Amino acid sequence: MQPTIGFIGLGIMGKPMARNLVKAGYSLVVHDRVLGPVEELLGLGATRAASAREVAQKSDLVITMLPDSPDVDLVVAGKDGVLEGIRAGTTLIDMSTISPVVARALAAKAAAQGIEMLDAPVSGGDKGAISGTLSIMVGGKREIFDQCLPIFQVMGKNIVYMGEAGAGQVTKACNQIVVGVTLQGVAEALTLGAKAGVDPAKIIQALSGGLARCGVLELRGPNYLSHTFQPGFRVRLHHKDLSIAMQTGAAYGVPLPATSLVREFMNALITMDRGDLDHSALITLIEDMAGIQVRAHETGE
Amino acid sequence: MQPTIGFIGLGIMGKPMARNLVKAGYSLVVHDRVLGPVEELLGLGATRAASAREVAQKSDLVITMLPDSPDVDLVVAGKDGVLEGIRAGTTLIDMSTISPVVARALAAKAAAQGIEMLDAPVSGGDKGAISGTLSIMVGGKREIFDQCLPIFQVMGKNIVYMGEAGAGQVTKACNQIVVGVTLQGVAEALTLGAKAGVDPAKIIQALSGGLARCGVLELRGPNYLSHTFQPGFRVRLHHKDLSIAMQTGAAYGVPLPATSLVREFMNALITMDRGDLDHSALITLIEDMAGIQVRAHETGE
C-alpha cells in the first residue's frame, strides 16, 4: 500500500510538488499557514491538518518545503512541531534549502527519536516543480534514500544521492556558489564588452564554444540581450542561499571571498528594490556604475 | 596564387600555427629571437628573415603571435618593425592576446599607412594550436576577414567575426573574465563541499545538470579530483590576460570587482611559485586557507 504523505509548506515550490504527489495517487495530509493553497489541495483530494504535529500524527512520511533554516527548525523541532507527533519508524524529508549545519542538527535530533531524516533540497525553480523535473540532491542513509526514491521520482528527474545527512544541503550550497559567482563573471564580461563596442549577442556566441561556456550564458543569455530580468530565480532567494553558504563556510572553516562579494552585491540589489528581479540582474549594478545598458545590437555585425 | 605569409613569433603557440600553414602549402617567411624554432621551420621549407621589417618586405600578409601588448607594439610599430617594411595593400594579422586599446591604436597607425590590420586572438591552448582547432575571435574590416578566412581555417575551427578593429581582443578579454571568475567560484564550492564531507566527484556530477554546469567543471574536473594542476593554461598567462581586462575596464570605464579579486589571487599564486601550474590551481589558495586538499573519495558514496 502507498504511504500517506504529510506535506508542510505549500508555497511557490511546495504547492506544485504536493499537487504532483496527489496526481500520482498518494494520499496527502497538508498544512500551511496560508489558506488558499491548502484549499486548492483539498479540492484535489488532500486532507488538512491544523498543525505540523497533526500532520506527523496522520502520516507515514513527512515532507517539509519551507523558506529558510529557522522555519524548518520551528516546524520540525518547535512547539506543535513534527517531532512532537511523529511515530518511530517514520521518515522525515526536508526539501527546503537550509543550512547544512541545521540539517545535520535536526537529523541528529530526529535520530534520537528513532526517526530517519533526509535532506533533499532541489533546483529547477517553480517551472521544475510544476513539471516534476526538479533536480534533487539528497543526504541521509542510503537505504532510506532508496526507499523514498519513487516519491522523489514524482517530483524530479535528476535525483542524486550525495552521502550522509547534510550532504544534500552542502551540495545545494556548492551549486548556488558556482551559479552566483558565474553570474557575476558574466555580468562583468558583458558590460565590458558592450561598453567597448562589441555586440553582446556575438560575445555570447563566441564564448559558447570553449572553457567559458556555462549554463548562465545558455539559460540567461536572452535576459542579458533583451535587458529584462523577470524571474527566474529571485535575487532575494539567491541572497538567502549565499548567506547559507557563508554560514557553512564559517562553520566548517572555509573562506569564500568571491561568494562573499557576490552575496554583498545581491544585498545591494535588495536594498535598491531589485530583490524580486531574476538573479541575472546582478549585471545592473555593473551597468549602473559603468553608465551603460547591455543589449543586443539591432543589426548584424 | 597563394600569398607568401610572414610569421613573427614562434613560441608555444606560434610554432605549431606556423607549421600548420607550411603543411597547408603556404610559403612562409619566419622570424623569432630564438633560433631553435626558426631552424625547425626552415627544415620544413620556410624562409628566414633577420627582422620584423624584413619579414614584412618579403610577405603578402604578416601574422604576429607574441606574448603581450608591448611586444606587439615594438614588433609592429617599433624600429625595424613591420610597419617600416610593409607595402600598402598588405594585411597585418595580430593573433597575440593583447590590450584592445593597443590593438585599436595599432590598427589606426597601420590604416594611416594604407595597411589593413585584423586582431585575431585565439583560445584553445597549445593543443588547439597543434591540432589546428583553435577558436579565433576576429576584429577588423569584414571584407578583410573574409579574404583571410582560408588562412584562419588552417589554424582554427570556431572562427567568429566580432566587429571592428579591437573587437577580437575585447571578446578575448570577456572570455578570460568568465573563465577566471568561474574557476574561482568552482574553487570555493569544491573546497567547501569537500571540507563539509561530501565527495567532490559527486558534487561535480550533481552540478552538471543545471544552471551551474560549465566548461570549467567539465574540462578541469579531473584536475580537481586528482589534485594535479599540469597546464593546461598557465596561471601567469591568465594573470596577464586579466591584467589586460583590468586595463580595458579602466580605459572604457567599467569596474570589474570579481575580475580584480581573481587577478589578485593569480598574482598570489605567481608569488607563491605556482605561476606555471594550470589556472585551476586557484583552488590551492582556498585549500591552503581551509587546511584541506580536495580529492575524489576513494570508494563510492
Side-chain angles (χ1 to χ4, degrees):
Chain A
M1 223 194 74
Q2 298 246 35
T4 296
I5 299 176
F7 204 107
I8 302 169
L10 301 172
I12 292 174
M13 297 295 291
K15 190 176 75 173
M17 290 161 71
R19 206 193 287 127
N20 285 333
L21 288 169
V22 172
K23 285 186 186 165
Y26 287 98
S27 300
L28 245 66
V29 181
V30 300
H31 176 68
D32 194 289
R33 288 169 309 174
V34 184
L35 280 191
V38 170
E39 278 161 9
E40 193 176 326
L41 266 295
L42 298 186
L44 294 170
T47 310
R48 157 192 263 155
S51 67
R53 180 170 51 80
E54 192 187 324
V55 170
Q57 285 167 340
K58 293 181 171 170
S59 309
D60 304 310
L61 179 147
V62 177
I63 295 174
T64 50
M65 189 62 182
L66 297 159
D68 203 349
S69 310
D71 309 291
V72 177
D73 195 46
L74 191 69
V75 161
V76 170
K79 183 169 151 41
D80 281 332
V82 171
L83 291 181
E84 286 189 3
I86 204 164
R87 300 181 298 270
T90 301
T91 299
L92 173 57
I93 308 176
D94 178 38
M95 302 189 73
S96 325
T97 294
I98 67 167
S99 155
V101 177
V102 173
R104 283 172 176 170
L106 286 175
K109 268 190 202 176
Q113 268 184 248
I115 307 298
E116 296 295 345
M117 184 164 178
L118 299 179
D119 51 296
V122 306
S123 71
D126 52 342
K127 280 183 197 166
I130 291 165
S131 60
T133 57
L134 293 166
S135 290
I136 310 179
M137 297 150 255
V138 189
K141 282 195 187 155
R142 177 91 213 198
E143 70 208 68
I144 307 297
F145 169 79
D146 289 338
Q147 285 167 22
C148 297
L149 190 55
I151 293 169
F152 288 134
Q153 284 167 335
V154 171
M155 297 180 280
K157 277 267 182 282
N158 185 25
I159 300 154
V160 194
Y161 177 71
M162 295 303 305
E164 294 180 7
Q169 297 296 353
V170 168
T171 306
K172 179 72 190 281
C174 293
N175 190 81
Q176 297 305 76
I177 289 171
V178 171
V179 172
V181 174
T182 305
L183 283 164
Q184 180 63 25
V186 166
E188 295 184 11
L190 292 182
T191 309
L192 179 67
K195 200 165 178 198
V198 182
D199 186 349
K202 296 202 152 193
I203 295 174
I204 291 177
Q205 182 195 342
L207 267 51
S208 70
L211 199 48
R213 71 173 177 266
C214 52
V216 167
L217 281 172
E218 274 172 63
L219 301 171
R220 296 298 192 262
N223 290 17
Y224 296 114
L225 297 180
S226 63
H227 209 267
T228 55
F229 303 103
Q230 297 311 308
F233 189 72
R234 287 170 206 276
V235 167
R236 65 174 76 255
L237 291 174
H238 206 148
H239 177 263
K240 180 212 111 184
D241 291 353
L242 293 189
S243 296
I244 287 173
M246 298 301 300
Q247 289 159 19
T248 309
Y252 288 97
V254 180
L256 302 170
T259 306
S260 168
L261 181 76
V262 175
R263 203 258 305 241
E264 287 312 297
F265 282 150
M266 289 184 173
N267 188 21
L269 285 173
I270 293 168
T271 305
M272 296 161 89
D273 253 342
R274 301 179 196 173
D276 289 314
L277 296 182
D278 183 71
H279 51 179
S280 53
L282 265 175
I283 197 172
T284 63
L285 291 178
I286 304 291
E287 288 178 326
D288 285 0
M289 294 188 281
I292 188 181
Q293 275 197 1
V294 173
R295 270 178 209 276
H297 292 187
E298 297 268 313
T299 58
E301 250 112 280
Chain B
M1 221 194 74
Q2 299 245 35
T4 296
I5 299 176
F7 205 107
I8 302 169
L10 300 172
I12 292 174
M13 297 295 292
K15 191 176 75 172
M17 290 161 71
R19 206 194 286 127
N20 284 333
L21 288 168
V22 172
K23 285 185 186 166
Y26 288 98
S27 300
L28 245 66
V29 181
V30 300
H31 176 67
D32 194 290
R33 287 170 310 174
V34 184
L35 282 191
V38 171
E39 278 162 8
E40 192 176 325
L41 265 296
L42 298 187
L44 295 169
T47 310
R48 158 193 262 155
S51 68
R53 182 171 49 80
E54 192 187 323
V55 169
Q57 284 167 340
K58 294 180 171 170
S59 309
D60 304 310
L61 180 149
V62 177
I63 295 174
T64 50
M65 189 62 181
L66 296 159
D68 204 350
S69 310
D71 309 291
V72 176
D73 195 46
L74 191 69
V75 161
V76 170
K79 185 170 152 38
D80 281 332
V82 170
L83 292 181
E84 286 190 2
I86 203 163
R87 299 182 298 272
T90 302
T91 298
L92 172 57
I93 309 177
D94 178 39
M95 302 189 74
S96 325
T97 294
I98 68 168
S99 154
V101 177
V102 174
R104 283 172 176 170
L106 287 175
K109 268 190 200 172
Q113 268 184 247
I115 307 297
E116 296 295 345
M117 185 165 179
L118 300 178
D119 52 296
V122 306
S123 71
D126 52 344
K127 281 183 197 166
I130 291 166
S131 59
T133 57
L134 293 165
S135 290
I136 310 179
M137 298 151 255
V138 189
K141 281 193 187 156
R142 175 93 212 194
E143 68 207 69
I144 305 297
F145 168 79
D146 290 336
Q147 285 167 23
C148 296
L149 190 56
I151 292 169
F152 288 134
Q153 284 168 335
V154 171
M155 298 179 280
K157 278 268 182 280
N158 184 24
I159 301 154
V160 194
Y161 177 72
M162 294 304 305
E164 293 180 7
Q169 296 296 353
V170 168
T171 306
K172 179 72 191 280
C174 293
N175 189 81
Q176 297 304 77
I177 289 172
V178 171
V179 172
V181 174
T182 305
L183 283 164
Q184 180 63 26
V186 166
E188 295 184 12
L190 292 181
T191 308
L192 179 67
K195 199 165 178 198
V198 182
D199 185 349
K202 296 200 153 195
I203 295 174
I204 291 177
Q205 183 196 342
L207 268 50
S208 71
L211 200 48
R213 71 173 177 267
C214 53
V216 166
L217 281 172
E218 275 172 62
L219 301 170
R220 295 299 192 262
N223 290 18
Y224 295 115
L225 298 180
S226 62
H227 209 266
T228 55
F229 302 104
Q230 297 311 310
F233 189 71
R234 287 169 205 276
V235 167
R236 67 174 73 256
L237 291 175
H238 206 148
H239 177 264
K240 179 212 112 182
D241 291 353
L242 293 189
S243 296
I244 287 172
M246 298 302 299
Q247 289 160 19
T248 310
Y252 287 97
V254 180
L256 303 169
T259 306
S260 168
L261 182 74
V262 175
R263 203 258 305 241
E264 286 313 295
F265 282 149
M266 289 184 173
N267 188 22
L269 285 173
I270 293 168
T271 305
M272 296 161 89
D273 253 342
R274 301 179 197 173
D276 288 315
L277 296 181
D278 183 71
H279 52 179
S280 53
L282 265 176
I283 197 173
T284 63
L285 290 178
I286 305 291
E287 288 178 327
D288 284 1
M289 292 188 281
I292 189 182
Q293 274 196 3
V294 173
R295 269 178 211 275
H297 292 188
E298 297 269 314
T299 57
E301 248 109 276

